[in-house]
Amino acid sequence: MIYGYTRISTKQQSIERQIRNIKDLYPNAVIIEEVYTGTKIYGRKEFNKLLKKVKSGDTIVFDSVSRMSRNAEEGFELYQELFNRGIDLIFIKEAHINTTTYKQALTNNVPMTNTTVDYILEGINKYLLALAKEQIKLAFIQSEKEVQDLQQRTKEGIETARLNGKRIGNVKGTKLITKKSVEKKKDILKYSKDFKGTLKDIEVMKLTGLARNTYYKYKKELIAELNNE
């Protein structure tokens, strides 16, 4: 079985590019989609389900190594674990670290000659294996570094804005008005039995697609707005 794992950090991002890249090469791949923010592997529900499901002979395809992990240590450990379980890993953008490449480094050793030259050949074989491992490690290290660089640039940008007198974030006690909040509040006002509708809170949440905390935040704001009218 071939699985394609795709991941984005927020629902505002598009996952279609990753799916398209995988499907172009592996049309029959079963696509696993996930929205998850963070570098840790084991916080991803869909990925964890996949890790429990895959068995020897299966393949997992990633658009890039960063979709598997942006934590160098965890990523390399998981790579080795899956390899030892007989699961093939394919990274479209970093094909040089596919498990087939690593497997070749393990099996395609320079044959021994039963002479003193074997000391040199043994050293070459160890070097080739170490080189393959190092390439895999470096790919995950680079993925982690990209996250760190982005975090640093964001931090520097915020500090620059602060030094230039720009306000960062909302002033305490103020609320952010967005197109989404206006539309969702209209729906709450229309459908909630506490206003003009007949539906319970849980039903309005499902209807609007709002998370519990956001729903009650909007509802509280609506009550305050109506009381001030």
Side-chain angles (χ1 to χ4, degrees):
M1 179 71 73
I2 299 176
Y3 298 94
Y5 177 75
T6 61
R7 179 178 63 82
I8 51 177
S9 299
T10 68
K11 290 181 179 179
Q12 285 71 41
Q13 295 175 322
S14 173
I15 206 167
E16 295 304 318
R17 177 186 56 79
Q18 295 178 48
I19 296 175
R20 184 174 63 252
N21 290 346
I22 293 172
K23 283 290 191 178
D24 282 348
L25 296 175
Y26 304 92
N28 297 323
V30 176
I31 300 297
I32 308 297
E33 300 181 34
E34 184 143 61
V35 179
Y36 178 80
T37 301
T39 61
K40 294 294 182 181
I41 291 173
Y42 298 102
R44 307 184 210 163
K45 292 181 180 179
E46 297 305 319
F47 193 40
N48 285 324
K49 290 179 186 176
L50 177 60
L51 294 179
K52 293 176 181 177
K53 183 190 300 185
V54 288
K55 56 186 182 298
S56 181
D58 287 345
T59 298
I60 306 177
V61 184
F62 303 88
D63 182 50
S64 70
V65 69
S66 64
R67 299 306 87 193
M68 177 174 167
S69 176
R70 282 191 160 180
N71 180 290
E73 183 177 351
E74 280 188 0
F76 183 65
E77 286 180 0
L78 181 60
Y79 182 104
Q80 288 187 308
E81 177 191 327
L82 292 172
F83 177 84
N84 291 333
R85 285 172 54 187
I87 296 159
D88 288 328
L89 302 175
I90 294 174
F91 304 92
I92 295 174
K93 289 185 171 60
E94 300 92 1
H96 64 287
I97 67 163
N98 290 349
T99 47
T100 51
T101 303
Y102 187 42
K103 197 176 294 182
Q104 287 174 356
L106 290 174
T107 58
N108 290 357
N109 291 335
V110 180
M112 298 293 107
T113 63
N114 294 321
T115 68
T116 54
V117 177
D118 285 353
Y119 289 108
I120 299 174
L121 297 180
E122 184 180 355
I124 292 174
N125 287 335
K126 288 181 179 179
Y127 168 75
L128 292 174
L129 178 58
L131 181 61
K133 283 186 176 181
E134 194 61 28
Q135 286 179 326
I136 297 166
K137 286 181 181 179
L138 285 173
F140 285 106
I141 289 171
Q142 180 60 36
S143 178
E144 181 175 333
K145 185 176 183 299
E146 288 174 0
V147 174
Q148 294 171 343
D149 288 348
L150 177 59
Q151 291 172 340
Q152 182 62 29
R153 288 196 298 270
T154 301
K155 182 179 178 181
E156 291 172 354
I158 291 173
E159 180 62 13
T160 299
R162 187 186 67 79
L163 292 173
N164 288 334
K166 295 182 180 179
R167 179 169 58 82
I168 307 300
N170 295 323
V171 176
K172 187 175 181 180
T174 65
K175 61 184 179 182
L176 180 63
I177 299 175
T178 64
K179 182 180 179 181
K180 173 187 172 182
S181 68
V182 171
E183 291 176 350
K184 296 300 182 182
K185 283 181 182 179
K186 285 181 180 178
D187 289 337
I188 295 171
L189 196 62
K190 180 179 179 181
Y191 296 110
S192 173
K193 68 176 185 177
D194 293 324
F195 299 105
K196 301 177 182 178
T198 59
L199 300 181
K200 297 178 181 178
D201 286 337
I202 188 66
E203 294 172 324
V204 183
M205 276 184 241
K206 290 180 180 179
L207 180 68
T208 58
L210 289 170
R212 181 182 179 86
N213 289 344
T214 304
Y215 172 79
Y216 282 111
K217 173 176 175 287
Y218 287 168
K219 188 176 177 182
K220 182 180 178 181
E221 290 176 359
L222 266 174
I223 294 172
E225 291 167 8
L226 291 172
N227 287 336
N228 289 332
E229 287 182 353

